[in-house]
Amino acid sequence: MENIDESFCQETEHRPKQSTIEAENIPLIDLSPILTSDPSNFSSEITHLVAQIGDACQKWGFFQVINHGVPSTCREKIERASKEFFLLPTEEKRKVSRDEDNPLGFYDTEHTKNVRDWKEVFDFVVENPTILPASHEPHNMELTELKNQWPNFPANFREACEEYAQGIEKLSYKLVELIALSLGLSSKRLNSYFKDQTSFMRLNYYPLCPIRHMALGVGRHKDSGALTVLAQDDVGGLEVKRKTDGEWIQVKPTPDAYIINVGDIIQVWSNDRYESVEHRVIASSMKERFSVPFFFNPSHYVMVEPLEELTNEESPAKYRAYNWGKFKTTRNLSNFKKLNVENIQIYHFRNGDL
């Protein structure tokens, strides 16, 4: 044990249990009705689908989707390109390392809640360049452009990433429209927030972990954006904190399915009707794991606050408005240096006495 890097070690209460509970009842939702018709066309199939989505968002904050319309060839290409990239020598991967000025590219010292994750990542944005505030300071209005950096190897890496991102972006809009309908809104109510979006894709690689009883692939956290669409391989390892009892539940991989979770922004927009749920990734000593999450995020100038249609005198707004760009920039900077503020969370904007 004297060779263990303590930066990976979780506090005892957050370490993985030796036995896991497999989720039998995280909803598995068939999206085939929206492949043939617009979600706003209220057929009985669409109405049933919207009810399923609303129920899953309310009870779990997580669900899986099948018959989603994303070609399996796109997924196969990005999974193959991801494996080829991460299995390159470290010095080759570090040629596209991210840093404080550009949070895009390769990184292998990611921390979650101040504990290092047992993983490597590669991040790229969907809109290239993506505009974000240059500073987390509230009165600094300067903007910066984030630009993707691509490795020379593997040869088809960029093409595979960009093609996959287009397919997942289309799916994300469909899901946001279904979520809007489930909240009693018009299907396109949320779409305009994603003009000039700050969405990004992440390739995750979880190497074999000799201290899986002490470390985590990713520590417990909630996603700060609007929606996450995750492709995980057949190794599994994602655990969701069940709302009813706080137990960590493993999400069993379903072939060709995507795992969807509601982020903090939808929690705020819905005025807590839907809740962003804690999740984490267990490390494995037996098999390497690869996954590809897509983080669907609004534009930097969006002020995030409870939607007017979902608040009234009986149910007043539970959050003050906050600027998404400043929120995101603060989060990005906290990966590289200790800021003079606590890592920002939506509860910092919660209204009191409600």
Side-chain angles (χ1 to χ4, degrees), residues 326-339:
K326 289 291 185 186
F327 189 104
K328 175 70 176 153
T329 298
T330 305
R331 281 289 185 92
N332 286 349
L333 286 174
S334 69
N335 284 324
F336 297 97
K337 61 182 179 182
K338 183 76 173 169
L339 298 179

PDB file of all heavy atoms in Angstrom, residues 326-339:
ATOM      1  N   LYS A 326     -21.152  32.287 -16.896  1.00  0.00           N
ATOM      2  CA  LYS A 326     -20.302  32.523 -15.718  1.00  0.00           C
ATOM      3  C   LYS A 326     -20.213  31.262 -14.855  1.00  0.00           C
ATOM      4  O   LYS A 326     -19.158  30.920 -14.314  1.00  0.00           O
ATOM      5  CB  LYS A 326     -20.862  33.691 -14.897  1.00  0.00           C
ATOM      6  CG  LYS A 326     -20.699  35.048 -15.555  1.00  0.00           C
ATOM      7  CD  LYS A 326     -19.236  35.463 -15.606  1.00  0.00           C
ATOM      8  CE  LYS A 326     -19.061  36.871 -16.141  1.00  0.00           C
ATOM      9  NZ  LYS A 326     -17.634  37.215 -16.312  1.00  0.00           N
ATOM     10  N   PHE A 327     -21.338  30.589 -14.711  1.00  0.00           N
ATOM     11  CA  PHE A 327     -21.380  29.341 -13.941  1.00  0.00           C
ATOM     12  C   PHE A 327     -20.410  28.332 -14.549  1.00  0.00           C
ATOM     13  O   PHE A 327     -19.588  27.720 -13.853  1.00  0.00           O
ATOM     14  CB  PHE A 327     -22.817  28.799 -13.976  1.00  0.00           C
ATOM     15  CG  PHE A 327     -23.096  27.647 -13.063  1.00  0.00           C
ATOM     16  CD1 PHE A 327     -23.795  27.829 -11.881  1.00  0.00           C
ATOM     17  CD2 PHE A 327     -22.699  26.351 -13.384  1.00  0.00           C
ATOM     18  CE1 PHE A 327     -24.076  26.751 -11.039  1.00  0.00           C
ATOM     19  CE2 PHE A 327     -22.964  25.271 -12.550  1.00  0.00           C
ATOM     20  CZ  PHE A 327     -23.666  25.479 -11.377  1.00  0.00           C
ATOM     21  N   LYS A 328     -20.485  28.159 -15.856  1.00  0.00           N
ATOM     22  CA  LYS A 328     -19.648  27.176 -16.549  1.00  0.00           C
ATOM     23  C   LYS A 328     -18.170  27.543 -16.474  1.00  0.00           C
ATOM     24  O   LYS A 328     -17.310  26.685 -16.252  1.00  0.00           O
ATOM     25  CB  LYS A 328     -20.113  27.086 -18.012  1.00  0.00           C
ATOM     26  CG  LYS A 328     -19.283  26.188 -18.911  1.00  0.00           C
ATOM     27  CD  LYS A 328     -19.451  24.732 -18.570  1.00  0.00           C
ATOM     28  CE  LYS A 328     -18.676  23.852 -19.555  1.00  0.00           C
ATOM     29  NZ  LYS A 328     -18.275  22.582 -18.941  1.00  0.00           N
ATOM     30  N   THR A 329     -17.859  28.830 -16.644  1.00  0.00           N
ATOM     31  CA  THR A 329     -16.466  29.267 -16.590  1.00  0.00           C
ATOM     32  C   THR A 329     -15.873  29.032 -15.204  1.00  0.00           C
ATOM     33  O   THR A 329     -14.722  28.600 -15.065  1.00  0.00           O
ATOM     34  CB  THR A 329     -16.350  30.756 -16.975  1.00  0.00           C
ATOM     35  OG1 THR A 329     -16.819  30.900 -18.323  1.00  0.00           O
ATOM     36  CG2 THR A 329     -14.918  31.252 -16.887  1.00  0.00           C
ATOM     37  N   THR A 330     -16.661  29.294 -14.169  1.00  0.00           N
ATOM     38  CA  THR A 330     -16.191  29.038 -12.799  1.00  0.00           C
ATOM     39  C   THR A 330     -15.870  27.559 -12.616  1.00  0.00           C
ATOM     40  O   THR A 330     -14.838  27.201 -12.044  1.00  0.00           O
ATOM     41  CB  THR A 330     -17.258  29.481 -11.773  1.00  0.00           C
ATOM     42  OG1 THR A 330     -17.587  30.838 -12.012  1.00  0.00           O
ATOM     43  CG2 THR A 330     -16.749  29.331 -10.352  1.00  0.00           C
ATOM     44  N   ARG A 331     -16.747  26.701 -13.129  1.00  0.00           N
ATOM     45  CA  ARG A 331     -16.512  25.252 -13.042  1.00  0.00           C
ATOM     46  C   ARG A 331     -15.240  24.850 -13.798  1.00  0.00           C
ATOM     47  O   ARG A 331     -14.454  24.044 -13.306  1.00  0.00           O
ATOM     48  CB  ARG A 331     -17.707  24.495 -13.624  1.00  0.00           C
ATOM     49  CG  ARG A 331     -18.911  24.378 -12.703  1.00  0.00           C
ATOM     50  CD  ARG A 331     -18.590  23.415 -11.549  1.00  0.00           C
ATOM     51  NE  ARG A 331     -19.733  23.176 -10.714  1.00  0.00           N
ATOM     52  CZ  ARG A 331     -20.603  22.174 -10.879  1.00  0.00           C
ATOM     53  NH1 ARG A 331     -20.479  21.333 -11.874  1.00  0.00           N
ATOM     54  NH2 ARG A 331     -21.596  22.011 -10.029  1.00  0.00           N
ATOM     55  N   ASN A 332     -15.062  25.389 -15.007  1.00  0.00           N
ATOM     56  CA  ASN A 332     -13.873  25.049 -15.795  1.00  0.00           C
ATOM     57  C   ASN A 332     -12.592  25.440 -15.071  1.00  0.00           C
ATOM     58  O   ASN A 332     -11.630  24.668 -15.006  1.00  0.00           O
ATOM     59  CB  ASN A 332     -13.905  25.757 -17.157  1.00  0.00           C
ATOM     60  CG  ASN A 332     -14.903  25.144 -18.118  1.00  0.00           C
ATOM     61  OD1 ASN A 332     -15.439  24.062 -17.870  1.00  0.00           O
ATOM     62  ND2 ASN A 332     -15.169  25.829 -19.214  1.00  0.00           N
ATOM     63  N   LEU A 333     -12.569  26.664 -14.515  1.00  0.00           N
ATOM     64  CA  LEU A 333     -11.352  27.148 -13.835  1.00  0.00           C
ATOM     65  C   LEU A 333     -11.031  26.330 -12.597  1.00  0.00           C
ATOM     66  O   LEU A 333      -9.868  26.121 -12.261  1.00  0.00           O
ATOM     67  CB  LEU A 333     -11.520  28.623 -13.456  1.00  0.00           C
ATOM     68  CG  LEU A 333     -11.435  29.630 -14.600  1.00  0.00           C
ATOM     69  CD1 LEU A 333     -11.766  31.022 -14.095  1.00  0.00           C
ATOM     70  CD2 LEU A 333     -10.063  29.620 -15.250  1.00  0.00           C
ATOM     71  N   SER A 334     -12.061  25.848 -11.920  1.00  0.00           N
ATOM     72  CA  SER A 334     -11.827  25.120 -10.670  1.00  0.00           C
ATOM     73  C   SER A 334     -11.115  23.790 -10.909  1.00  0.00           C
ATOM     74  O   SER A 334     -10.609  23.176  -9.985  1.00  0.00           O
ATOM     75  CB  SER A 334     -13.146  24.882  -9.915  1.00  0.00           C
ATOM     76  OG  SER A 334     -13.960  23.960 -10.609  1.00  0.00           O
ATOM     77  N   ASN A 335     -11.041  23.346 -12.184  1.00  0.00           N
ATOM     78  CA  ASN A 335     -10.279  22.140 -12.492  1.00  0.00           C
ATOM     79  C   ASN A 335      -8.774  22.381 -12.403  1.00  0.00           C
ATOM     80  O   ASN A 335      -8.000  21.442 -12.297  1.00  0.00           O
ATOM     81  CB  ASN A 335     -10.599  21.653 -13.916  1.00  0.00           C
ATOM     82  CG  ASN A 335     -11.940  20.965 -13.996  1.00  0.00           C
ATOM     83  OD1 ASN A 335     -12.334  20.282 -13.076  1.00  0.00           O
ATOM     84  ND2 ASN A 335     -12.639  21.171 -15.097  1.00  0.00           N
ATOM     85  N   PHE A 336      -8.356  23.641 -12.468  1.00  0.00           N
ATOM     86  CA  PHE A 336      -6.934  23.933 -12.578  1.00  0.00           C
ATOM     87  C   PHE A 336      -6.342  24.686 -11.401  1.00  0.00           C
ATOM     88  O   PHE A 336      -5.152  24.633 -11.175  1.00  0.00           O
ATOM     89  CB  PHE A 336      -6.677  24.722 -13.875  1.00  0.00           C
ATOM     90  CG  PHE A 336      -7.027  23.914 -15.089  1.00  0.00           C
ATOM     91  CD1 PHE A 336      -8.253  24.066 -15.701  1.00  0.00           C
ATOM     92  CD2 PHE A 336      -6.162  22.950 -15.564  1.00  0.00           C
ATOM     93  CE1 PHE A 336      -8.593  23.298 -16.792  1.00  0.00           C
ATOM     94  CE2 PHE A 336      -6.496  22.169 -16.654  1.00  0.00           C
ATOM     95  CZ  PHE A 336      -7.712  22.341 -17.275  1.00  0.00           C
ATOM     96  N   LYS A 337      -7.164  25.418 -10.682  1.00  0.00           N
ATOM     97  CA  LYS A 337      -6.597  26.131  -9.531  1.00  0.00           C
ATOM     98  C   LYS A 337      -7.687  26.365  -8.499  1.00  0.00           C
ATOM     99  O   LYS A 337      -8.871  26.379  -8.808  1.00  0.00           O
ATOM    100  CB  LYS A 337      -5.985  27.468  -9.968  1.00  0.00           C
ATOM    101  CG  LYS A 337      -6.974  28.443 -10.595  1.00  0.00           C
ATOM    102  CD  LYS A 337      -6.249  29.709 -11.026  1.00  0.00           C
ATOM    103  CE  LYS A 337      -7.207  30.694 -11.676  1.00  0.00           C
ATOM    104  NZ  LYS A 337      -6.517  31.905 -12.139  1.00  0.00           N
ATOM    105  N   LYS A 338      -7.278  26.542  -7.270  1.00  0.00           N
ATOM    106  CA  LYS A 338      -8.200  26.808  -6.176  1.00  0.00           C
ATOM    107  C   LYS A 338      -8.684  28.243  -6.297  1.00  0.00           C
ATOM    108  O   LYS A 338      -7.915  29.184  -6.188  1.00  0.00           O
ATOM    109  CB  LYS A 338      -7.475  26.596  -4.843  1.00  0.00           C
ATOM    110  CG  LYS A 338      -8.345  26.767  -3.626  1.00  0.00           C
ATOM    111  CD  LYS A 338      -9.243  25.575  -3.402  1.00  0.00           C
ATOM    112  CE  LYS A 338      -9.981  25.719  -2.074  1.00  0.00           C
ATOM    113  NZ  LYS A 338     -11.043  24.723  -1.937  1.00  0.00           N
ATOM    114  N   LEU A 339      -9.968  28.415  -6.579  1.00  0.00           N
ATOM    115  CA  LEU A 339     -10.514  29.771  -6.669  1.00  0.00           C
ATOM    116  C   LEU A 339     -10.827  30.291  -5.278  1.00  0.00           C
ATOM    117  O   LEU A 339     -10.849  29.543  -4.303  1.00  0.00           O
ATOM    118  CB  LEU A 339     -11.791  29.750  -7.512  1.00  0.00           C
ATOM    119  CG  LEU A 339     -11.632  29.292  -8.967  1.00  0.00           C
ATOM    120  CD1 LEU A 339     -12.978  29.311  -9.653  1.00  0.00           C
ATOM    121  CD2 LEU A 339     -10.650  30.164  -9.715  1.00  0.00           C
TER     122      LEU A 339
END
